[in-house]
Amino acid sequence: MACISSNVSYSFKLLDGEASKIFLKNQIKGSLNNKISSGKYHAWNALSPFRIRGPLSSSFNSISRASKNSNGNLEQSLAFTGESGDTNYSEEKLVVLVIGGGGREHALCYSLQQSPSCGTVFCAPGNAGIAGSGDAICISELDILDSIAVISFCQAKGVGLVVVGPEAPLVVGLVDDLTKAGIPTFGPSAAAAALEGSKDFTKKLCDKYGIPTAKYKTFIDPLEAKEYVKEQGAPIVVKADGLAAGKGVVVAMSIEEACSAIDSMLVTSAFGSAGSRVIVEEYLEGEEASFFALVDGETALPLESAQDHKRVGDGDTGPNTGGMGAYSPAPVLTSELQSIVMETIIHPTVKGMAAEGCKFVGVLYAGLMIEKKSGLPKLIEYNVRFGDPECQVLMMRLESDLAQVLLAACRGELGKVTLAWSAGSAMVIVMASNGYPGSYEKGTIVKNLEEAELAAPMVKIFHAGTALDSEGNFIASGGRVLGVTAKGKDLTEARDRAYKAVEVIDWPEGFFRRDIGWRALPHMYTAAS
């Protein structure tokens, strides 16, 4: 049994019917084996049956959940066992490692913690907010691009499932190495990750297998690319071929803007090797939507619909970002359209990848344009992992055991899986550092996060770019810093709750869009009238 030599303060979150209670400030010293059956409670809007809030040491290896006894009273034995080097986990509970350290990974850790079959959740490298929420034990020192180090960690800790969040480890082949070592890993091989790693690869696959997408041409010569732009006219889209952290796409409204984008990629190398080849494609007019499907190599299982907001400013203005907010479900993706997407885009992609000798296992994230003139979906591009911030709203609504669902994908058994989702809607508002997606200041203090989660029912704050300063304050360490997420009976309620929480957060150096969900609200009002 691990022991702690100094006092540690935690809050314990317990579900009690419609509402939940929080056991406040239980000072724990020495061996951690405490039974909660009574004490001082404070009203709390629950998102999970049991959580620990506050810094969570890597010495803690397993946490059991709260439950009611036969009399209906809250009662739970907490057992924290093993030092950081031990591997004595409960045999019936799955140990999971989530790779990454952003808002998407926080959401995955949160959902895995809700999974009945899941015990310990590790996150590497994680971030201060993930650790502080108790949603995972963060392993900041683990190099996620070092396959040998990751394999060694998994073997030492008895990890039974690895979930890879970001694209970079996928493209360099982390999944290949873990799979060869016999560690079930959710994510595509390096060959299959080319669907995101190279837009030219995806376009050629679309051509070969009849997947609807925008007309395009690929260039390595800037003069030829500019000549093509002049032939086609504006608006037109210029994309870096490789990974550019969501910033390698320019929707040019003039020929001059397109030529400038070509120069930045092919001449001044703004995106390094990712921009050594560019795709110039036709501008599609319509409404964008995000479509996600879990894939086990042969079977594709669609997730609930979602829609994000890529532009930095209200009214979808300004440069593209990694995403400033999202909501689920997305009214634009009707059940009929979802069927069309599966039939014309997802299934042909899965079959095509298998035919090319690189079966896809993981999440297929199709960025779609629902064309204004035809009303039909076209593929804009693929990502090969959960979207960020769409993952946050999807994980808030998912009611299935995520750990078992992802294991089924690893084993080629998705055909046996049916997903359960909560009714209503979820919305996430991204709070970003002033200046993002350009240069921004790091180290600014972010206050009132706990108060924000209490500001409205069903609010959860996912940390994307936070750290702790020497005094224990949360500080901004990235461009996108927080994903303030809420659920509601409909999109209006989810939006109101999320923005109410945002307004409580004290962070003068941050900003957020005030119109997340604006495209969906007319659909909702029309349906209600």
Side-chain angles (χ1 to χ4, degrees):
M1 177 72 67
C3 294
I4 296 178
S5 58
S6 59
N7 289 326
V8 182
S9 176
Y10 287 99
S11 299
F12 298 93
K13 192 174 193 178
L14 307 172
L15 186 64
D16 184 14
E18 293 302 318
S20 62
K21 313 288 185 178
I22 184 166
F23 181 81
L24 293 176
K25 306 298 183 184
N26 183 28
Q27 296 295 324
I28 302 173
K29 185 175 182 179
S31 177
L32 291 180
N33 188 9
N34 296 273
K35 190 172 185 179
I36 299 174
S37 58
S38 63
K40 183 180 179 181
Y41 294 91
H42 176 69
W44 187 273
N45 296 301
L47 293 174
S48 64
F50 175 73
R51 302 233 305 287
I52 290 183
R53 299 176 54 76
L56 186 60
S57 166
S58 60
S59 298
F60 306 154
N61 285 343
S62 64
I63 304 169
S64 58
R65 297 191 180 198
S67 61
K68 287 186 177 182
N69 62 20
S70 58
N71 296 321
N73 296 319
L74 292 167
E75 186 173 21
Q76 178 61 50
S77 295
L78 305 183
F80 297 75
T81 62
E83 298 290 352
S84 59
D86 296 342
T87 58
N88 54 337
Y89 304 107
S90 174
E91 290 181 358
E92 66 273 11
K93 293 291 186 178
L94 187 68
V95 179
V96 181
L97 170 63
V98 175
I99 299 291
R104 165 184 51 229
E105 288 74 37
H106 192 176
L108 291 170
C109 290
Y110 163 78
S111 186
L112 287 164
Q113 281 286 12
Q114 319 311 311
S115 299
S117 68
C118 192
T120 304
V121 180
F122 292 106
C123 187
N127 63 46
I130 296 174
S133 68
D135 289 322
I137 300 169
C138 292
I139 313 297
S140 60
E141 67 274 14
L142 183 60
D143 183 355
I144 61 175
L145 297 179
D146 183 345
S147 295
I148 294 176
V150 175
I151 291 169
S152 177
F153 177 87
C154 291
Q155 292 172 340
K157 297 298 182 183
V159 172
L161 173 65
V162 177
V163 181
V164 184
E167 61 272 23
L170 296 171
V171 173
V172 300
L174 178 63
V175 172
D176 305 65
D177 296 334
L178 289 171
T179 302
K180 287 177 184 176
I183 300 168
T185 305
F186 181 77
S189 66
L195 277 172
E196 178 169 1
S198 171
K199 295 178 179 63
D200 182 62
F201 174 89
T202 299
K203 286 291 192 179
K204 288 177 179 175
L205 188 83
C206 289
D207 284 347
K208 187 171 182 179
Y209 294 97
I211 299 165
T213 188
K215 183 177 69 174
Y216 79 102
K217 286 195 73 172
T218 302
F219 299 93
I220 58 173
D221 185 304
L223 295 178
E224 291 181 4
K226 291 177 186 178
E227 188 62 34
Y228 181 76
V229 165
K230 292 173 183 175
E231 291 173 3
Q232 299 301 312
I236 199 164
V237 181
V238 181
K239 298 180 177 180
D241 177 56
L243 300 177
K247 302 172 187 175
V249 177
V250 176
V251 180
M253 303 311 292
S254 67
I255 291 175
E256 292 74 21
E257 187 181 1
C259 290
S260 176
I262 291 167
D263 282 339
S264 71
M265 296 177 193
L266 292 180
V267 179
T268 61
S269 301
F271 299 108
S273 60
S276 61
R277 183 166 50 183
V278 301
I279 287 81
V280 180
E281 66 179 31
E282 70 172 314
Y283 173 81
L284 298 177
E285 186 177 3
E287 187 168 349
E288 291 189 41
S290 304
F291 190 93
F292 298 87
L294 303 180
V295 182
D296 66 5
E298 296 181 358
T299 300
L301 183 65
L303 302 183
E304 273 286 270
S305 62
Q307 188 168 24
D308 74 340
H309 297 65
K310 288 293 185 188
R311 299 289 189 126
V312 72
D314 289 355
D316 290 339
T317 58
N320 276 331
T321 70
M324 293 300 297
Y327 53 90
S328 173
V332 67
L333 277 172
T334 62
S335 57
E336 180 184 4
L337 272 179
Q338 291 181 58
S339 296
I340 293 172
V341 172
M342 289 296 292
E343 180 182 349
T344 65
I345 297 175
I346 301 298
H347 287 316
T349 299
V350 173
K351 292 178 181 177
M353 292 294 284
E356 295 298 314
C358 47
K359 281 189 175 183
F360 186 93
V361 176
V363 177
L364 262 183
Y365 164 14
L368 304 174
M369 179 67 75
I370 312 303
E371 269 202 296
K372 185 177 180 180
K373 61 184 179 182
S374 68
L376 296 175
K378 282 189 175 180
L379 178 69
I380 300 174
E381 63 183 20
Y382 270 128
N383 292 325
V384 296
R385 32 68 184 186
F386 286 101
D388 186 342
E390 296 98 328
C391 185
Q392 287 84 313
V393 290
L394 291 173
M395 292 304 103
M396 284 283 282
R397 295 190 58 214
L398 181 67
E399 294 184 339
S400 298
D401 186 319
L402 179 63
Q404 290 306 307
V405 170
L406 300 187
L407 268 180
C410 295
R411 295 168 177 164
E413 298 176 351
L414 277 181
K416 303 176 183 179
V417 173
T418 301
L419 297 177
W421 301 91
S422 65
S425 298
M427 178 179 285
V428 57
I429 313 298
V430 170
M431 298 189 73
S433 300
N434 287 337
Y436 175 81
S439 60
Y440 51 85
E441 181 183 359
K442 293 184 179 181
T444 56
I445 296 176
V446 185
K447 299 178 181 178
N448 295 350
L449 295 181
E450 288 194 2
E451 293 84 349
E453 282 197 328
L454 288 168
M458 306 306 291
V459 171
K460 169 69 178 177
I461 297 177
F462 295 112
H463 290 242
T466 61
L468 294 177
D469 65 12
S470 59
E471 297 181 356
N473 298 308
F474 281 113
I475 58 173
S477 61
R480 293 188 299 167
V481 175
L482 301 171
V484 182
T485 313
K487 287 200 296 185
K489 66 179 183 293
D490 53 33
L491 186 58
T492 295
E493 185 172 69
R495 179 197 62 186
D496 292 346
R497 289 174 172 177
Y499 276 111
K500 188 173 182 180
V502 166
E503 296 294 346
V504 173
I505 296 172
D506 182 6
W507 184 32
E509 296 83 5
F511 77 98
F512 57 93
R513 279 184 57 166
R514 297 180 179 273
D515 66 342
I516 302 301
W518 70 274
R519 287 185 179 274
L521 293 175
H523 291 272
M524 188 178 66
Y525 293 144
T526 299
S529 61

